[in-house]
Amino acid sequence: MKLLRYGPVGAEKPGLLDADGNIRDLSAHVADITGAVLDDASLERLRALDPASLPVVPGNPRLGACVSGFTKYMCIGLNYSDHADEMNLPYPEHPILFMKANSAIVGPDDDVVMPRGSTTTDWECELGVVIGKAAKYVSEEDALDHVAGYCICNDVSERTFQNKLTGQWTKGKSCDTFGPTGPWLVTRDEIADPQALAMSLDVNGKRMQTGNTATMIFTVRQIISHLSQLFTLHPGDVISTGTPPGVGGGMKPPTFLKAGDVMELRIEGLGSQRQEVRADD
């Protein structure tokens, strides 16, 4: 099942994508796609609906982030062995964790706005994990039972803010619009193995990132278990799990985004994103 949110910013409605690619309105059944409807029982109730009985949403509406109301949007840094190799950095002993501000989260095709003074804004295609059941002190064996589904995340990053403004990575990760998420939340029953998903990112039609979740240093199971030892993961929380090689900062010479550039992201089974880059006024 592919759940989504559609409509103007701040007024998104819940929906699902049917087998023919039509958006179907879920407003009669749930108020929004939040953690409150992502437990197994609630998802099973939605799965039992006949999509043909739901109203078709006409046209081509804007899509919002595929989940709303999360308490945490967490990101794992340097989590692909081939990305660590391209950056000439040692593999971390434990997952590197930082957080992205909720105000950074936007729809999958919304514009990405470079903040004033930015000259080193970069791209990062990532597998997003959405929690469906509260997780505290969870074992690796049981970790995936706490997942509602998966999505695409673009962990847009301003490298100068991230690395040279004296502080945590969050400074370069939480600028407005730096968290495109979606287009839809694909429930975990549709993804046989989250460690076997091909992924890519193009800028202006040129392939920049090619990777596979198989090269994660810490798997989805390990990440969920590790984080749950530190704090409770709540339904609706999002974990962006790291990026494969091909980021602009790893190129020789480094290559960064400029106004007018277009990013296109794809992950196997999870759809695609497209964002145009513009400078802040």
Side-chain angles (χ1 to χ4, degrees):
M1 184 166 56
K2 296 178 175 64
L3 300 175
L4 55 87
R5 302 171 64 250
Y6 69 93
V9 175
E12 292 91 347
K13 295 181 179 181
L16 63 77
L17 194 75
D18 70 18
D20 296 320
N22 300 308
I23 295 176
R24 300 279 182 163
D25 181 42
L26 279 174
S27 297
H29 301 275
V30 295
D32 200 353
I33 306 300
T34 66
V37 303
L38 295 180
D39 61 277
D40 287 348
S42 297
L43 290 177
E44 191 57 39
R45 180 172 62 85
L46 294 178
R47 196 175 286 112
L49 298 172
D50 178 7
S53 70
L54 303 171
V56 174
V57 177
N60 186 30
R62 169 192 172 270
L63 296 180
C66 58
V67 63
S68 179
F70 45 82
T71 64
K72 295 182 285 296
Y73 195 109
M74 295 160 292
C75 304
I76 307 300
L78 205 66
N79 192 38
Y80 281 67
S81 57
D82 38 6
H83 173 50
D85 292 344
E86 84 170 331
M87 302 302 291
N88 197 30
L89 292 170
Y91 300 170
E93 183 178 354
H94 305 286
I96 296 172
L97 177 67
F98 60 93
M99 300 183 76
K100 194 177 283 280
N102 290 9
S103 56
I105 310 311
V106 294
D109 302 324
D110 289 344
D111 289 350
V112 165
V113 182
M114 297 187 302
R116 292 180 182 177
S118 171
T119 58
T120 58
T121 296
D122 206 344
W123 54 82
E124 293 191 12
C125 180
E126 307 202 357
L127 172 66
V129 178
V130 183
I131 299 298
K133 180 172 68 172
K136 180 69 170 177
Y137 302 129
V138 172
S139 68
E140 291 181 21
E141 180 182 5
D142 295 334
L144 296 189
D145 294 339
H146 294 261
V147 173
Y150 303 94
C151 63
I152 303 174
C153 301
N154 189 354
D155 177 22
V156 184
S157 308
E158 215 302 332
R159 300 302 187 191
T160 302
F161 293 8
Q162 175 185 348
N163 297 317
K164 297 182 179 180
L165 288 189
T166 312
Q168 300 286 337
W169 287 4
T170 300
K171 287 186 177 182
K173 301 284 192 172
S174 285
C175 303
D176 294 347
T177 75
F178 272 25
T181 302
W184 34 75
L185 187 163
V186 180
T187 52
R188 74 173 188 268
D189 58 297
E190 292 197 13
I191 303 299
D193 184 0
Q195 304 307 145
L197 302 177
M199 53 204 307
S200 65
L201 183 146
D202 298 349
V203 177
N204 301 330
K206 180 180 179 181
R207 181 60 44 89
M208 296 299 188
Q209 290 190 278
T210 301
N212 193 291
T213 57
T215 68
M216 282 186 183
I217 296 169
F218 302 103
T219 65
V220 172
R221 288 181 183 273
Q222 290 172 316
I223 291 167
I224 292 172
S225 178
H226 177 75
L227 296 184
S228 78
Q229 311 307 311
L230 309 174
F231 44 73
T232 301
L233 296 169
H234 293 287
D237 284 352
V238 178
I239 308 170
S240 194
T241 56
T243 199
V247 299
M251 295 181 176
K252 295 180 176 51
T255 302
F256 298 110
L257 294 166
K258 61 185 184 302
D261 285 348
V262 173
M263 293 179 282
E264 296 176 278
L265 295 73
R266 296 174 183 82
I267 297 182
E268 182 180 357
L270 301 182
S272 62
Q273 298 184 351
R274 182 185 185 279
Q275 300 106 29
E276 184 170 340
V277 179
R278 61 182 176 86
D280 205 355
D281 297 333

